[in-house]
Amino acid sequence: MSSFKVFIVGGGPVGALAGLYAAQRGFEVEIYEMRDEYNQPHTATAFSTKSISLTLSERGIKSLRHSKCQNLAERILSKTVPVYGQKVHGRTKSGLTTRRIPYDVHGQALYAISRSEINYSLLQELSKFPNVRVFYKHKLSGLDMKQKSATFQNISRPREPDHEAKFDLLIGADGAHSTTRFYLSRYAKINISQKWEDIFGVNSPSPRDIPFLWTVCICGPNMISCCLPAQIRKEHLPVICLPPKASSWSSLRSTSPDITPDLIPTDSLQKQFKSNLHHPMIDIRCSPYHYQDSCVLIGDAAHAMVPFYGQGMNTGFEDVRILFEDFLDQRRTLPSTPYDLSLTHSVQQKEPLDTPAAIIGDYLEQYTKFRQPDVHIINELALQNYKELRQGVLKVSYRVRKQIEEFLCFYAPQLGWATQYRMVAFETMRYTEVLRRVRKQGLILSSVAWSCLVVLSIDFLFSLRLSKVADVLV
Ligand SMILES: Cc1cc2nc3c(=O)[nH]c(=O)nc-3n(C[C@H](O)[C@H](O)[C@H](O)COP(=O)(O)OP(=O)(O)OC[C@H]3O[C@@H](n4cnc5c(N)ncnc54)[C@H](O)[C@@H]3O)c2cc1C
């Protein structure tokens, strides 16, 4: 085992996956999670504030596969439910309407799983490694990034002195309200932007009483639900209810929500809206993600986004894969390496390096520079998708563009044309590349549309002129 000590703050899905990547590389891993341990995926007492279902997509699945834990991705996928599209429920003068919108023209699906289930599976996998220790009920309470020393408060024994320990690298995966990020801001010149969106989630306390796990934003002309198989839908129907364009959350509070009573009985909807906790949605961006060779942020701690693209956890999983494979593993190309790689089969152990700190610091800096533009784009796309769900899905221009792009993607795959949704959810190209391609496709489509318009106008004017000439001749 290596003497290189990696601390991970936060044992949520992203922290747990980072633990697996670090453990596979033979590091000595310590994970500090402030909540209690839980023994079964569904009781999930430790993570009950987030009893939501999440969807795994290609980026997340690829990162699970690259963890090199045998069949981990397949075992997790076997517990998921494929989701092939959304249903938009609306109300017109003539009554209620429902339209099904598939996610992908090739029939690809997202995979829904409860947060506690995926978190439990990852923590279970971690327990197989002798070089991993997980400290539950331990909350980060102090961090000296220069001395590489962290203190943790043992929540179950508050009168005892805090537990202090030294690390070589600390990975902050402690979620949107990250304490690690707070300490990072004392050391690094970090820019942080935090924006509360006028969007709230409403959790259902008991899926028995109310037939879905979470809803977002009650009221309005559109409501979106995922197309899950009927037997699952009874218990776990993820529904997004979107307020009309002009409404804000505060204005909704004074009204009573009421939509599609055939799907959700009005009194049940109103009961949830009034009595359940309202979770505000937040957009957090920061840069840099690291301080020298001491600390790096990943997952929601580095970038919390609104959930409308279903990419928060997937992006966090991708952070882990990129951080380890594309940056920390670069050490393999160096003449020597700062830590023991004896557990990594493909690599021979080498002599310790004189200045490992500078090298790791350099990789963390490169990681920030590489990852930050991508992550800011997915934060932005998630917000845009919210606007699209709210208004765009009904817009003719949106639907025409989607249909043309799907047609090209299906019938002319050699052109490499794809919808934005496909590029984000079903492919793993960089988000910056997604944006570049979406812009290029938009430019081509609008050029073609304008060219057609010009040709048709010229044709029209020409035929008008011809008919006038004919009139004169007659
Ligand atoms: C309604 C909703 C729907 C969503 N749907 C999707 C989806 O479909 N697909 C998707 O990919 N993403 C989705 N997301 C986003 C996803 O939930 C998050 O991106 C993901 O949970 C982030 O994981 P994380 O491990 O970085 O952070 P978290 O899940 O927040 O975990 C952080 C952990 O750190 C611990 N912690 C915090 N502070 C400390 C401390 N000081 N000391 C020790 N431990 C600490 C916490 O207890 C927690 O366990 C959704 C989010 C919401 C709100």
Side-chain angles (χ1 to χ4, degrees), residues 19 24 88 138 146 151 189 235 249 252 257 264 299 386 423 474:
Q24 283 284 13
V88 178
H138 276 69
K146 285 193 190 292
T151 35
K189 288 178 186 150
E235 277 195 272
W249 180 256
L252 292 182
I264 309 169
Y386 165 62
M423 288 188 258
V474 170

Side-chain angles (χ1 to χ4, degrees), residues 8-16 32-35 46-47 49-50 52-57 110-113 115 119 135 137-141 152 155 172-180 201-203 214-216 279-281 298-317 319:
I8 296 171
V9 183
V14 175
Y32 291 88
E33 165 55 52
M34 73 176 184
R35 296 180 199 273
F47 302 96
T49 55
K50 288 201 177 173
I52 47 173
S53 69
L54 307 167
T55 50
L56 256 176
S57 56
L110 306 178
Y111 294 90
I113 186 167
R115 183 188 184 280
N119 208 165
F135 296 82
K137 288 194 157 188
H138 276 69
K139 184 178 177 184
L140 180 70
S141 56
F152 298 92
I155 297 172
D174 47 349
H177 305 288
S178 166
T179 311
T180 315
V202 182
N203 274 8
W214 60 276
T215 60
V216 177
H279 300 293
M281 301 283 163
I298 54 172
D300 275 18
H303 46 74
M305 62 192 79
V306 294
F308 297 103
Y309 236 124
Q311 283 295 305
M313 179 184 67
N314 287 291
T315 307
F317 281 2
D319 289 349

Side-chain angles (χ1 to χ4, degrees), residues 42-343:
H42 293 298
T43 52
T45 50
F47 302 96
S48 56
T49 55
K50 288 201 177 173
S51 59
I52 47 173
S53 69
L54 307 167
T55 50
L56 256 176
S57 56
E58 200 48 41
R59 293 168 200 272
I61 297 169
K62 179 173 175 182
S63 307
L64 288 173
R65 291 215 165 98
H66 283 224
S67 70
K68 298 196 183 112
C69 298
Q70 214 181 7
N71 295 331
L72 176 68
E74 280 60 37
R75 274 181 278 135
I76 289 177
L77 283 172
S78 71
K79 294 172 190 159
T80 62
V81 178
V83 185
Y84 291 95
Q86 300 168 323
K87 278 182 182 166
V88 178
H89 310 276
R91 178 180 283 164
T92 61
K93 279 179 193 155
S94 51
L96 301 174
T97 59
T98 297
R99 204 154 41 82
R100 192 179 184 282
I101 305 181
Y103 285 130
D104 179 49
V105 71
H106 292 289
Q108 278 190 261
L110 306 178
Y111 294 90
I113 186 167
S114 81
R115 183 188 184 280
S116 58
E117 179 83 60
I118 192 166
N119 208 165
Y120 179 76
S121 305
L122 294 168
L123 291 168
Q124 280 284 6
E125 194 67 23
L126 274 170
S127 64
K128 297 178 185 167
F129 285 85
N131 50 334
V132 175
R133 291 206 296 165
V134 184
F135 296 82
Y136 291 99
K137 288 194 157 188
H138 276 69
K139 184 178 177 184
L140 180 70
S141 56
L143 188 51
D144 185 331
M145 293 201 188
K146 285 193 190 292
Q147 297 303 318
K148 296 193 172 179
S149 150
T151 35
F152 298 92
Q153 183 195 358
N154 185 338
I155 297 172
S156 47
R157 297 194 192 121
R159 290 200 184 147
E160 283 188 8
D162 286 357
H163 165 82
E164 192 174 343
K166 292 251 179 193
F167 58 85
D168 292 299
L169 173 65
L170 184 140
I171 299 180
D174 47 349
H177 305 288
S178 166
T179 311
T180 315
R181 192 177 61 231
F182 166 76
Y183 286 110
L184 183 64
S185 69
R186 290 184 170 182
Y187 291 85
K189 288 178 186 150
I190 178 170
N191 290 314
I192 305 174
S193 101
Q194 173 174 309
K195 202 168 161 229
W196 293 97
E197 296 300 329
D198 194 27
I199 315 165
F200 285 70
V202 182
N203 274 8
S204 300
S206 153
R208 277 177 173 219
D209 292 338
I210 299 146
F212 32 85
L213 235 74
W214 60 276
T215 60
V216 177
C217 292
I218 313 283
C219 223
N222 295 317
M223 187 175 73
I224 307 221
S225 68
C226 294
C227 304
L228 292 178
Q231 74 275 17
I232 300 287
R233 200 159 46 192
K234 277 190 193 135
E235 277 195 272
H236 307 280
L237 174 62
V239 176
I240 307 172
C241 303
L242 303 160
K245 203 173 169 187
S247 302
S248 68
W249 180 256
S250 44
S251 69
L252 292 182
R253 279 169 167 250
S254 55
T255 61
S256 288
D258 166 25
I259 190 162
T260 59
D262 57 336
L263 189 73
I264 309 169
T266 304
D267 52 346
S268 167
L269 188 62
Q270 291 181 358
K271 189 175 143 202
Q272 282 187 80
F273 184 72
K274 287 189 177 139
S275 59
N276 296 355
L277 277 179
H278 295 169
H279 300 293
M281 301 283 163
I282 198 167
D283 177 286
I284 296 177
R285 306 172 197 197
C286 71
S287 181
Y289 301 134
H290 73 290
Y291 175 70
Q292 294 180 358
D293 63 321
S294 185
C295 169
V296 61
L297 299 176
I298 54 172
D300 275 18
H303 46 74
M305 62 192 79
V306 294
F308 297 103
Y309 236 124
Q311 283 295 305
M313 179 184 67
N314 287 291
T315 307
F317 281 2
E318 198 177 47
D319 289 349
V320 174
R321 182 181 63 76
I322 290 175
L323 174 66
F324 279 90
E325 287 190 344
D326 296 351
F327 292 92
L328 294 179
D329 284 355
Q330 276 185 42
R331 67 189 188 275
R332 293 174 187 183
T333 58
L334 295 172
S336 53
T337 172
Y339 26 72
D340 180 344
L341 297 165
S342 50
L343 290 191

